[in-house]
Amino acid sequence: MGEVAVMRSEPLQFECNDMKHLTEGDTYATETNAELDHGEESSQSTDNEKTNDLPEKGYMEYGCQHYRRRCRIRAPCCNEVFDCRHCHNEAKNDISINQKLRHDIPRHQVKQVICSLCGTEQEVQQNCINCGVCMGKYFCGTCKLFDDDVSKQQYHCSGCGICRTGGRENFFHCYKCGCCYSILLKDSHPCIEGAMHHDCPVCFEYLFESRNDITVMPCGHTIHKSCLNEMREHYQYACPLCSKSVCDMSKVWEKFDLEIAATPMPEPYQNKMVSVHFLVVS
């Protein structure tokens, strides 16, 4: 979105003739106090419009691939400036970086931000102390998060200790699982302590702080939605952690039973019995 054009009201210019050459019909009616006041109010209104438009300057024009925002952050760990914490983590965990020097930014410890419009470095706050621009329509002082794209419906969850997306009214925090889940799962999801505080069993990304969609399997274990879909494409229908089916497999078992029943047992093995032991996983 471009900058908002501010309409400027210029004062009217009158050319005054010599009064002695004017007749009564040539004279103008004297301005009343009300008219003068209206002119002053118009000028004040224009000034107010300029002031109100200032925080919106540069809206959705700055940022990175992760966030639309009008500021950059100074990392407290390495004292370098980045567009956001994800940009820092990607740069500082790159394969070209010495393994001993790789690290993530402690997001809650960020203390300084730099305005993208005027370049002023300042303490973390929503509006720039120099130019007055709003550096992020969504602002969380706890997570030091700025974002102009409020369509994500961001909210801060005190249980998680970080900001989430999707709208507070659509999620609830499960204190046993230790994370926010869809309100649709409030009375039906199987609780597993710390279910979100581990890596995805497929791609090994830490799920608690992942920006990708996460789903809860019938067994209660969690996984990236994209990783689960990839498993299904490769005909893998069991949880990688406990091997419990992730979907209704009754039709498959019925088909297997029909195929087994239609396959005669070789004569040497007919009427032979064996003991089968099942391992029950809770």
Side-chain angles (χ1 to χ4, degrees), residues 44-112:
Q44 291 175 358
S45 177
T46 304
D47 292 340
N48 289 337
E49 288 178 3
K50 296 176 186 177
T51 303
N52 293 335
D53 288 339
L54 182 59
E56 301 302 318
K57 188 176 182 181
Y59 174 65
M60 295 294 284
E61 293 181 3
Y62 297 85
C64 59
Q65 61 178 327
H66 308 107
Y67 298 108
R68 295 282 89 193
R69 62 205 296 183
R70 284 163 280 179
C71 69
R72 307 180 74 197
I73 61 173
R74 183 173 294 281
C77 44
C78 52
N79 203 38
E80 296 182 30
V81 177
F82 294 89
D83 285 319
C84 73
R85 70 181 184 91
H86 297 295
C87 292
H88 169 279
N89 293 345
E90 289 174 3
K92 292 302 180 179
N93 288 286
D94 189 82
I95 192 171
S96 61
I97 301 295
N98 187 314
Q99 189 171 3
K100 294 181 179 180
L101 300 178
R102 296 175 192 173
H103 65 280
D104 289 339
I105 188 172
R107 71 164 88 176
H108 295 98
Q109 296 178 22
V110 173
K111 297 184 183 300
Q112 298 293 116

Side-chain angles (χ1 to χ4, degrees), residues 31 268 270 279:
E31 291 181 324
Q270 288 182 4
L279 176 63

